[in-house]
Amino acid sequence: MARRRHVPWWLVAVAVTVLVLVTGALPADDARELAERTLPILVFVAALTVVAEMCAGAGLFDAAAGLASRVAGGRRWALWGLVVVLATVSTAVLSLDTTAVLLTPVVIALARHTRTPPLPFALAVLALANTASLVLPVSNLTNLLADHLLRADGVGYLGLMWAPALAAILVTVVVLAVRDRRSLGGSYDPGPPHPVRDRLLLVVCAVAVGVLAVAFVVGAPTAPTAIVVAVVLLGVTLARHQKLPVAARDLVPWRTLLVVLGLFVVVATAHAQGLGALLAQVAGTGNGPGALLQVAATGALAANAMNNLPAYLALEPAAGTDPMRLAALLIGTGVGPLITPWGSLATVLWWQRCRTVMLDVPAGTIVRQGLLLAPLTVVAATLALVATS
């Protein structure tokens, strides 16, 4: 029997985008506004992906994991704690998708090398790839979308979101530490450090990531900064005569970016056809504690139902320009999509990487962890928002 060929999602996204533009289902003015908001963000994602791939090719993630193994001194609980720190920093500076794609296989290999059950380590990466994604605007694509509106209102992202971000991370770490305490006992032999292929390139990548972190914290333009660092790292890698970590045609995730663009277009078209009025009723009004919890819960439910990116765009008009309501929506769509395997792109990518390295994670495992974490982290982050704003 001939094998069926499935139409790739990126091609479906292109077809849908062309269809709604040609038929006028998405008015020209709405399409122009959408392009002005989203295309710079997609360029930033492409540049940051190049940065992450160059760092992975230079062995930066492997070196960080090896350093964690030695610093932990053979104690599994300490190693797990350092993996938590590594996943949090990676998500904050390089985005949740980078953590899911590049850190997941490294952490699983680290666990196996130290004869530690890999599942708790992998699940910690999955959780923090989502719940640590409120730290900086660059940590999550939804943050970048909201940051545009917050800046227009004269509100700084860090000043508004630091407490919710901290609350979401702390609740995640405490819950996972209690749940996995039995698997994290005992000791291991760290073993000798892995040899570094090109130490100069490794140092350049480490410095570049540090520069990116500082630049993003002080509010440097995200896309231009990421493009400059990506070009520098690509140039240094080629100058050092090192092989690219992936094929040149796959260095920029153009297929994923086309799918994301298609999602944006579909949601904008649905709004143009009247979806906004319905969602505004569900999300409610006001910015008191109960109203903010309602916005966050609506965002979380929508994200788990259809994915966090279209959920944010669909609910953004219902949140309006009120910074508190936008922040609550970010909490729901950033921290909340932990329950379904498709709730965020990071979860989808994480699941694929687990299968690639032969770690079988049933969908039920993802759902159970999400049901445990999502309500607690969303409520804690929203209450932290209320308490500090």
Side-chain angles (χ1 to χ4, degrees):
M1 182 181 292
R3 185 178 179 181
R4 290 184 178 181
R5 292 187 176 181
H6 298 284
V7 178
W9 282 107
W10 66 267
L11 189 57
V12 174
V14 170
V16 170
T17 300
V18 172
L19 180 64
V20 299
L21 292 176
V22 170
T23 60
L26 180 62
D29 290 342
D30 291 350
R32 191 177 302 109
E33 181 183 355
L34 180 68
E36 290 174 353
R37 284 195 65 194
T38 60
L39 290 182
I41 293 173
L42 296 179
V43 170
F44 162 76
V45 172
L48 195 61
T49 301
V50 174
V51 171
E53 290 287 4
M54 293 301 102
C55 290
L60 183 61
F61 291 100
D62 292 313
L67 178 62
S69 176
R70 296 189 296 276
V71 170
R75 296 162 295 182
R76 284 199 176 91
W77 66 266
L79 179 62
W80 181 85
L82 290 171
V83 166
V84 163
V85 172
L86 183 58
T88 301
V89 172
S90 172
T91 300
V93 178
L94 295 176
S95 85
L96 71 170
D97 298 332
T98 295
T99 297
V101 172
L102 300 180
L103 187 60
T104 299
V106 172
V107 167
I108 292 173
L110 175 64
R112 287 170 171 164
H113 177 71
T114 58
R115 300 183 184 275
T116 302
L119 188 58
F121 280 57
L123 288 174
V125 170
L126 169 63
L128 288 163
N130 289 280
T131 60
S133 69
L134 296 178
V135 177
L136 294 173
V138 299
S139 307
N140 197 328
L141 192 53
T142 55
N143 300 351
L144 287 171
L145 292 168
D147 189 47
H148 172 79
L149 298 177
L150 293 173
R151 285 175 182 268
D153 204 36
V155 177
Y157 180 92
L158 276 176
L160 181 66
M161 297 301 295
W162 71 268
L166 182 60
I169 293 170
L170 288 177
V171 169
T172 299
V173 173
V174 170
V175 170
L176 294 184
V178 172
R179 185 195 66 181
D180 297 329
R181 63 191 183 280
R182 294 179 181 175
S183 301
L184 301 176
S187 59
Y188 64 90
D189 180 10
H194 291 288
V196 177
R197 186 173 68 248
D198 189 328
R199 187 168 296 278
L200 176 61
L201 182 59
L202 178 64
V203 171
V204 170
C205 287
V207 171
V209 171
V211 169
L212 270 181
V214 173
F216 292 152
V217 168
V218 300
T222 53
T225 303
I227 290 172
V228 169
V229 173
V231 170
V232 169
L233 290 186
L234 183 58
V236 173
T237 299
L238 294 175
R240 299 291 294 175
H241 305 290
Q242 294 293 341
K243 183 180 178 181
L244 294 179
V246 295
R249 66 178 181 276
D250 295 326
L251 199 54
V252 173
W254 57 271
R255 299 176 186 84
T256 300
L257 295 179
L258 286 174
V259 172
V260 171
L261 179 60
L263 287 173
F264 288 161
V265 170
V266 168
V267 172
T269 304
H271 263 284
Q273 302 301 320
L275 176 64
L278 174 62
L279 292 176
Q281 292 180 356
V282 177
T285 59
N287 60 8
L292 294 180
L293 285 170
Q294 182 178 355
V295 173
T298 303
L301 291 172
N304 281 292
M306 61 180 175
N307 185 266
N308 67 327
L309 287 176
Y312 173 83
L313 274 183
L315 286 162
E316 186 187 72
T321 58
D322 187 325
M324 294 287 283
R325 288 179 62 82
L326 277 174
L329 179 58
L330 282 181
I331 292 169
T333 56
V335 173
L338 290 165
I339 299 173
T340 56
W342 59 84
S344 71
L345 179 60
T347 302
V348 175
L349 296 172
W350 174 88
W351 211 13
Q352 291 175 345
R353 297 301 278 177
C354 287
R355 288 196 293 267
T356 300
V357 297
M358 306 301 289
L359 179 64
D360 180 35
V361 184
T365 301
I366 298 174
V367 172
R368 284 192 296 272
Q369 173 166 288
L371 289 172
L372 177 65
L373 285 175
L376 295 174
T377 52
V378 168
V379 170
T382 306
L383 293 180
L385 172 68
V386 172
T388 56
S389 299

